[in-house]
Amino acid sequence: MVQAVVERLREDDTNTLCPNPETVYVFARDELYKGGSHSHHLFEESRGEFFDKEWLERKSSDLMAMLISLCASKDTCAKDNFLKEYQAQLSVALLKHQQYSTEKIRLEKMKQRLGESIENATVMINDMENSQRINKRIYENNHQWPMSFHGFILSRHSWIDPEEEEEKEPTMALTPLCLEAMKTYSSEYSRVQPSRSLRWLPELGRVNLTLEFKSGSLDITVDPIDATVISHFSSKDIPWTADSIAKKCGVSLEKTMKSLNFWEEQGILKMTNTGRFQLVKE
């Protein structure tokens, strides 16, 4: 439910859920925080519930406000549930599509509705803007630096849930070219930001690939895991099991299967009758 609500609200760029600006509903603090009072409601003893006709009419005229209210659960307030999912979807949008100007406009609309700033989301968008400036400075300092490689500098506690974060080093087997680029970038970054250090999260990145075949080429943007998986398929005559690819790439079997299925959907790989994967075309 919460995922669907947030997705619908984020994509409402034309304000179809509330076309009249005069009817925009701004939540009161006690509607968004668990344990808040309901003093603005009237209590109807005969019905045994809070009821305020004027309040309900104002809220129901704004479908966005009504949808946000649906995010409340038995143990968690609407605001906490909504913002957690909003942050999750925002991170995917920023890292995959990098359209932070659009997300900035959407965020301002959310601030208006919730009557306050959304700190983590604001930091996330600022990170994208700052990363663009840092990438430019790194390239200006080192003209040999490939402009096709960009780093996104993410504020640790705004992007990653501390309860879910793992401190272990990533195990994904990256190509030597990528490892060298990361090493050089870290060195240049330490000159631009002397007081800070980087910890790479390669699985969150994006890779622009050009796959060359005898029949033509395919330009596609994929996750690093997808790029690493397909890099091991160089000939139609060499099929791979999912387990072998997982060990080669240094990722879980579950993630490997997801990637293999992705390339199968793209018409690049196929599964043989022996359960192995191979290229469809040379």
Side-chain angles (χ1 to χ4, degrees):
M1 169 68 80
V2 179
Q3 180 181 355
V5 167
V6 174
E7 185 175 328
R8 180 66 182 88
L9 297 188
R10 285 188 61 257
E11 295 176 354
D12 185 42
D13 296 326
T14 56
N15 296 318
T16 57
L17 296 176
C18 186
N20 185 359
E22 296 181 358
T23 64
V24 168
Y25 184 88
V26 179
F27 284 86
R29 185 177 180 83
D30 58 355
E31 291 181 85
L32 293 170
Y33 291 88
K34 184 180 178 183
S37 67
H38 293 267
S39 58
H40 67 289
H41 287 223
L42 299 177
F43 187 78
E44 251 187 34
E45 293 185 3
S46 60
R47 295 180 57 177
E49 60 185 11
F50 290 103
F51 182 75
D52 184 337
K53 184 177 180 181
E54 182 181 352
W55 164 81
L56 186 59
E57 287 177 347
R58 285 193 299 111
K59 194 171 184 179
S60 62
S61 65
D62 186 343
L63 291 179
M64 181 178 283
M66 294 295 286
L67 287 172
I68 292 176
S69 298
L70 294 177
C71 295
S73 61
K74 181 179 179 181
D75 301 316
T76 314
C77 66
K79 178 177 180 290
D80 287 346
N81 287 335
F82 179 82
L83 290 184
K84 184 175 182 179
E85 180 60 29
Y86 186 92
Q87 181 180 348
Q89 292 190 24
L90 178 62
S91 67
V92 172
L94 291 176
L95 292 174
K96 287 195 173 184
H97 308 298
Q98 302 158 33
Q99 299 293 331
Y100 61 84
S101 57
T102 300
E103 295 300 337
K104 197 170 185 178
I105 295 173
R106 290 172 171 174
L107 181 59
E108 289 302 318
K109 184 164 60 176
M110 286 298 109
K111 289 179 182 179
Q112 179 186 12
R113 299 311 179 96
L114 300 178
E116 59 181 89
S117 64
I118 307 175
E119 184 175 351
N120 279 353
T122 302
V123 171
M124 291 164 72
I125 291 177
N126 288 341
D127 283 346
M128 300 302 288
E129 295 177 329
N130 292 334
S131 294
Q132 194 173 58
R133 286 193 288 269
I134 290 173
N135 285 323
K136 183 178 180 181
R137 289 184 62 186
I138 287 177
Y139 179 74
E140 289 174 348
N141 293 339
N142 185 353
H143 289 291
Q144 302 301 317
W145 180 254
M147 292 192 70
S148 59
F149 187 96
H150 305 283
F152 292 118
I153 316 301
L154 313 182
S155 299
R156 178 179 179 184
H157 295 296
S158 294
W159 288 76
I160 303 171
D161 187 342
E163 296 180 357
E164 299 177 359
E165 181 182 5
E166 297 181 1
E167 291 293 341
K168 64 182 180 181
E169 290 296 317
T171 59
M172 185 169 62
L174 301 172
T175 64
L177 183 63
C178 185
L179 290 172
E180 183 62 28
M182 290 163 59
K183 181 180 178 181
T184 304
Y185 189 97
S186 295
S187 177
E188 293 294 332
Y189 178 78
S190 64
R191 298 180 185 181
V192 176
Q193 301 283 355
S195 62
R196 299 184 180 183
S197 60
L198 295 176
R199 183 168 73 88
W200 290 94
L201 300 171
E203 293 186 16
L204 297 182
R206 300 291 284 169
V207 180
N208 297 321
L209 289 180
T210 298
L211 302 179
E212 299 285 351
F213 303 100
K214 291 181 180 179
S215 59
S217 61
L218 171 67
D219 294 321
I220 188 170
T221 301
V222 298
D223 294 332
I225 291 178
D226 296 330
T228 304
V229 166
I230 201 62
S231 69
H232 294 287
F233 290 87
S234 57
S235 171
K236 290 177 63 176
D237 300 326
I238 307 178
W240 289 85
T241 64
D243 188 60
S244 297
I245 285 292
K247 291 177 181 178
K248 272 279 188 182
C249 297
V251 297
S252 68
L253 182 59
E254 180 183 1
K255 290 181 178 180
T256 301
M257 281 302 304
K258 183 178 179 182
S259 180
L260 290 169
N261 290 334
F262 167 78
W263 287 116
E264 194 173 11
E265 292 172 356
Q266 299 301 313
I268 305 300
L269 299 180
K270 69 177 181 179
M271 180 186 286
T272 67
N273 53 14
T274 61
R276 296 170 180 266
F277 290 85
Q278 69 179 49
L279 284 172
V280 172
K281 52 187 176 181
E282 291 279 7

